[in-house]
Amino acid sequence: MAAQAYAKEKDYTRARRHYLHVETPEEFGILLMEVASSEGYPGEADLFIAQAVLQLLVLKQRTYALDLYNIYTQAHPAFRDKEGPPYKDAPLLNFLWFLLHSAETGHAEVFSCLMQHYAPVIQRDPSFQQYLAKIGEYYFRIAPSQSSSGGLFGLLGGANGFLSELFEPQSASVTTSSPNQCAVVEDLD
């Protein structure tokens, strides 16, 4: 398999792209842990699983994304000994867990509350907003907004070939609900 060959060569970018399209969550999880430990900074382990989970959701692979999330969080040294989900000190992992489960129900209000409550952690990676706009469209029937300039999405799509492969050229953003509708999300984190 190409993903395994690229992983063996430590060509992590190509390996990740291939693992997104073959449902082998155990192998993909191992690769993500290896990349996080060799190329990431301390405290960034959650970013590696977040990007993969969001990309899989964009590819409409919710079950694969959930399996990968579970494998990664149960095996990664930074998370395996912690009680969760939800995790006491890992808001991005909590966001992903809630997102993965709410994607099954498709309730737009829950998605909007998650986006509002977890806005600070979502902003840690500029690509997350583009992924989440597509996820909102696919799983929660939230219409994307259009921008004639292409905005940040146009910039990222041109600079990152992976985004160009996943998305058509349009800008999208997600709206949020009022604060009183999100009380349940705040209580859970």
Side-chain angles (χ1 to χ4, degrees):
M1 165 174 30
Q4 292 170 333
Y6 287 128
K8 193 177 253 189
E9 296 172 6
K10 304 217 181 289
D11 186 344
Y12 297 129
T13 302
R14 287 187 176 147
R16 283 176 47 100
R17 285 185 183 163
H18 283 274
Y19 275 119
L20 288 169
H21 300 285
V22 293
E23 291 192 38
T24 54
E26 296 85 8
E27 290 180 22
F28 196 6
I30 290 168
L31 175 83
L32 290 174
M33 285 186 277
E34 186 177 328
V35 174
S37 66
S38 67
E39 296 185 3
Y41 292 105
E44 287 187 340
D46 59 344
L47 290 172
F48 289 90
I49 188 63
Q51 186 176 58
V53 164
L54 295 175
Q55 289 170 343
L56 286 169
L57 287 172
V58 167
L59 294 169
K60 300 180 182 177
Q61 296 290 326
R62 193 192 72 79
T63 302
Y64 182 17
L66 182 59
D67 291 344
L68 178 63
Y69 173 90
N70 288 330
I71 287 166
Y72 186 87
T73 56
Q74 291 168 7
H76 194 285
F79 312 116
R80 68 177 169 223
D81 295 329
K82 293 185 178 188
E83 187 178 324
Y87 296 93
K88 183 177 180 184
D89 296 321
L92 184 56
L93 292 182
N94 293 340
F95 170 73
L96 294 172
W97 187 75
F98 291 128
L99 179 64
L100 284 162
H101 290 281
S102 63
E104 188 173 22
T105 66
H107 295 297
E109 300 82 16
V110 174
F111 179 71
S112 294
C113 287
L114 289 172
M115 293 294 292
Q116 179 179 331
H117 181 74
Y118 290 101
V121 295
I122 293 167
Q123 294 170 0
R124 286 177 60 199
D125 185 320
S127 68
F128 289 175
Q129 187 64 34
Q130 282 68 247
Y131 297 136
L132 290 165
K134 285 296 182 187
I135 291 164
E137 183 180 346
Y138 294 155
Y139 294 96
F140 303 97
R141 296 184 276 323
I142 296 174
S145 63
Q146 299 292 322
S147 170
S148 59
S149 67
L152 181 61
F153 181 80
L155 176 65
L156 288 174
N160 186 335
F162 182 76
L163 284 177
S164 298
E165 292 174 19
L166 284 182
F167 304 116
E168 59 271 3
Q170 65 182 5
S171 177
S173 63
V174 179
T175 59
T176 59
S177 298
S178 64
N180 60 351
Q181 292 176 319
C182 298
V184 173
V185 172
E186 292 173 8
D187 291 341
L188 292 173
D189 196 28

